[in-house]
Amino acid sequence: MKVDIITLFPEVMEPYLSSSILGRTRRKGVIEIGYLNPRIFAKDKHKTVDDRPYGGGAGMLMKAEPLYKAIKQLKKQAPEGTNPLVVMTSPRGKTFNQKLAKELAKEKHIIFVCGHYEGVDARIYPEIDLEVSLGDFILTGGELAACVMIDAVTRLQPGTFAKDDVTAKESFEDNLLEAPQYTRPEVWRRRKVPAVLLSGNHKEIEEWKLKEALKITKKLRPDLLDNRPLKTSETKKKRLKRR
C-alpha cells in the first residue's frame, strides 16, 4: 500500500509513523508513506496557506488552491492504473471504526488531507472522496487523526505481522470486545490465571473466550451486541436452554 499525507506539519507525524511496528512495516516495504506540504504551492513570499473566513467568524481557514494543487500533484504521480482514494480528516466526517479500517486496508493508494486551523475552504470538498472523523470532538489539526487511521490500516496489511492471524480475533470482530488475556507468571500478586487457559483443551478454551467476550461486551459496550448476528453454535445453545 502507498499512503501520501498532505500536511503542514510532517515533522509531527514522522516520529510516530517510523517507530515500532509501523516503522518495521515500512522498512519491509509493506507500506510506503510520503508527505507533501501544501505550503510549497503558496504564491506569496510568506507562503501563506490560510486566510480569514468570509462572513466573519473566529479562526483562520486553509485556502483551497494549495490543497487542490497538492492533491492533483499526488494523483498525477500515482502509479499507472491506480486511482488514489482521497481522505479528508474532518469532524463532520464518517466515524472511523474497525469496519472502515478494513475497507481502507483494501485500497492500494490513499491520500490523506490533514485539515488545520479552524477548517478548510469548502470549495475543496469536491476533490475529496471520503471525510472521516475519530469522534465527536475537535483536534487542532488532522495529523493525529491521520496517524490513528494509518496505524489501524497498516496493521491489517498482509506482511505486517509474522503471523497473519494476529488480527483475526481482536476486539470488534463479530461485534464483540476481546476476551481477557493473561501471560506469565501463572500467579501474580495472588491473582491466578483462569484454570481453563492452562488446561490445553482448545474447545473449552474457545468456549470460555466467547463467554467472556460476551460478558465484557455486555458490561462495557452493550451497543455492539444490538446488531450482532448469532453464530450457529450459539443458536444451538439457545435452543437447548429453551428445552
Side-chain angles (χ1 to χ4, degrees):
M1 171 181 276
K2 180 174 174 56
V3 172
D4 282 305
I5 308 166
I6 298 174
T7 171
L8 295 171
F9 304 99
E11 68 276 9
V12 172
M13 307 177 74
E14 180 58 16
Y16 181 79
L17 296 178
S18 62
S19 303
S20 187
I21 293 172
L22 283 169
R24 187 168 67 244
T25 303
R26 290 174 68 182
R27 289 190 291 274
K28 287 165 61 178
V30 174
I31 184 170
E32 178 187 342
I33 297 177
Y35 303 93
L36 182 59
N37 194 326
R39 200 177 294 278
I40 67 174
F41 298 106
K43 296 178 180 179
D44 66 305
K45 65 178 182 178
H46 300 295
K47 297 295 181 182
T48 306
V49 293
D50 63 323
D51 209 333
R52 296 188 300 269
Y54 283 117
M60 305 286 277
L61 295 180
M62 289 186 73
K63 297 163 72 72
E65 185 66 8
L67 291 176
Y68 176 83
K69 286 188 173 180
I71 292 170
K72 291 301 180 184
Q73 176 169 304
L74 289 174
K75 282 190 170 184
K76 186 177 180 180
Q77 294 173 348
E80 188 176 351
T82 63
N83 184 24
L85 181 75
V86 182
V87 178
M88 167 79 81
T89 60
S90 168
R92 74 179 200 176
K94 183 177 183 180
T95 303
F96 188 70
N97 56 25
Q98 190 67 8
K99 181 181 178 181
L100 182 53
K102 286 184 174 182
E103 292 176 8
L104 293 178
K106 298 175 184 177
E107 297 289 332
K108 296 298 182 184
H109 187 184
I110 301 177
I111 298 172
F112 283 97
V113 181
C114 299
H116 214 78
Y117 307 118
E118 188 63 22
V120 300
D121 187 315
R123 289 171 290 186
I124 198 63
Y125 287 125
E127 308 302 322
I128 307 300
D129 299 315
L130 177 67
E131 295 178 63
V132 185
S133 168
L134 293 188
D136 297 337
F137 55 90
I138 306 298
L139 297 171
T140 55
E143 284 75 19
L144 284 176
C147 279
V148 168
M149 288 186 271
I150 293 167
D151 187 310
V153 168
T154 298
R155 65 192 314 280
L156 294 172
Q157 296 300 310
T160 295
F161 298 103
K163 296 181 179 179
D164 290 335
D165 62 348
V166 168
T167 60
K169 294 184 179 180
E170 296 184 304
S171 289
F172 307 112
E173 294 297 326
D174 296 323
N175 280 47
L176 289 176
L177 297 179
E178 196 168 9
Q181 300 186 80
Y182 304 84
T183 188
R184 280 71 178 170
E186 187 176 322
V187 180
W188 175 75
R189 295 183 182 271
R190 291 184 290 182
R191 301 172 193 174
K192 297 181 179 180
V193 174
V196 66
L197 297 179
L198 308 173
S199 67
N201 188 319
H202 297 295
K203 183 179 178 182
E204 289 185 2
I205 290 173
E206 289 305 312
E207 290 177 350
W208 179 87
K209 285 183 177 180
L210 176 58
K211 180 181 177 182
E212 291 300 311
L214 286 164
K215 186 190 300 183
I216 199 168
T217 305
K218 184 176 180 181
K219 179 182 178 181
L220 300 178
R221 288 291 306 275
D223 57 295
L224 292 174
L225 298 175
D226 294 340
N227 300 314
R228 179 178 179 270
L230 290 175
K231 292 184 177 180
T232 305
S233 58
E234 295 175 68
T235 306
K236 288 180 180 178
K237 286 181 180 179
K238 281 201 167 188
R239 287 173 183 169
L240 288 173
K241 284 183 180 180
R242 288 172 186 170
R243 291 176 187 175

